[in-house]
Amino acid sequence: RSGRSAALRARMEERLLGARFRYLNQQLYTGSSRDAARLFRDDPAAFHLYHRGFERQVRRWPERPVQRIVRYLRRRPASLVVADFGCGDCTLAASIKNQVHCFDLVPLSPRVTVCDMAKVPLAAEAVDVAVFCLALMGTNLQEILGEANRVLKLGGTLLVAEVASRFEDTRAFLRAMTQLGFKTVSKDLSSSYFYVLEFAKTGPARPGPAPGLRLRPCLYKRR
């Protein structure tokens, strides 16, 4: 009997975790990066719960996108300085020899600098590589990617790994990136789970709206 009670309690806790994760996930994708920073500043425990739910989702995939980024950077010089936007538990920084500036909304690791992804504490043209691995959240995408442009050196690399189903129009998205000062170097659209895009910084972002810079919210259904 006690075994059945424990199993029932575990199922209830699992459902509550799932419901809370879906709620937090919706807030992250339908609000701005400033809203997200405020949400987790007021309730840091919510970020830990969100990260647990996120890890459960990604474990179902045949490959973790961060491992693709790790393999890419291991083939490049270790002298390159990297900025990891939305770094989570700093898997990337722990897996490569490069200096990595780790930014996120809550510190899951002592390496993390807590900040809004649209306003990171780096000087202009301070890094060689900027990374967004499942981290392009928020309604102010142009502002966030503009910040990546600001901190990247001219000719620097922007790596984006993002859920495939979020792209409404991949060609329009890539065209919009040119207005933000990036040219497409390579794109891997072969996975049904996530895409990996590589850009090079060609200059500063141009002012004005960037039509086509749209990603669908990544909303999870109740199972």
Side-chain angles (χ1 to χ4, degrees):
R1 187 174 181 178
S2 61
R4 287 199 300 271
S5 296
L8 176 61
R9 185 166 60 251
R11 285 198 300 272
M12 290 178 65
E13 289 175 353
E14 188 77 3
R15 288 179 181 175
L16 286 171
L17 172 62
R20 181 70 168 146
F21 167 74
R22 288 190 297 274
Y23 168 77
L24 291 170
N25 187 73
Q26 184 172 359
Q27 300 307 302
L28 291 177
Y29 281 101
T30 58
S32 71
S33 61
R34 285 176 291 279
D35 295 332
R38 190 179 309 113
L39 169 67
F40 291 129
R41 184 176 62 245
D42 294 343
D43 186 5
F47 186 85
H48 292 268
L49 187 150
Y50 171 79
H51 195 260
R52 282 174 57 199
F54 171 82
E55 285 295 316
R56 287 172 58 211
Q57 297 292 333
V58 175
R59 275 200 298 269
R60 298 190 177 106
W61 295 4
E63 182 182 26
R64 292 174 63 93
V66 68
Q67 296 306 325
R68 293 282 298 277
I69 305 294
V70 167
R71 289 200 299 272
Y72 173 93
L73 288 171
R74 283 178 175 172
R75 295 193 297 266
R76 304 287 297 278
S79 58
L80 297 179
V81 179
V82 179
D84 188 1
F85 289 74
C87 61
D89 60 5
C90 298
T91 295
L92 178 61
S95 303
I96 59 177
K97 296 179 180 179
N98 307 63
Q99 178 187 359
V100 181
H101 297 282
C102 301
F103 302 116
D104 216 324
L105 300 172
V106 171
L108 292 182
S109 161
R111 299 174 187 253
V112 177
T113 298
V114 174
C115 62
D116 177 356
M117 296 306 105
K119 193 174 182 181
V120 300
L122 284 176
E125 301 191 356
V127 303
D128 302 287
V129 182
V131 174
F132 288 88
C133 186
L134 306 181
L136 280 179
M137 302 177 181
T139 53
N140 55 329
L141 281 182
Q142 185 167 351
E143 190 178 358
I144 293 167
L145 288 165
E147 180 70 344
N149 180 293
R150 183 187 72 81
V151 303
L152 269 173
K153 297 174 183 176
L154 187 64
T157 298
L158 170 64
L159 297 174
V160 173
E162 196 49 77
V163 176
S165 60
R166 296 194 63 203
F167 289 87
E168 296 180 23
D169 185 337
T170 306
R171 287 185 179 181
F173 185 89
L174 297 178
R175 284 197 301 270
M177 291 296 288
T178 63
Q179 183 166 334
L180 298 184
F182 296 105
K183 71 173 181 180
T184 305
V185 175
S186 68
K187 56 183 186 293
D188 183 350
L189 314 181
S190 60
S191 171
S192 60
Y193 290 89
F194 61 88
Y195 293 163
V196 180
L197 309 174
E198 178 186 355
F199 303 94
K201 177 179 172 178
T202 57
R206 298 198 298 272
L213 193 73
R214 292 192 301 274
L215 291 173
R216 296 187 185 97
C218 188
L219 303 180
Y220 297 96
K221 297 179 181 178
R222 180 178 177 179
R223 292 181 178 272

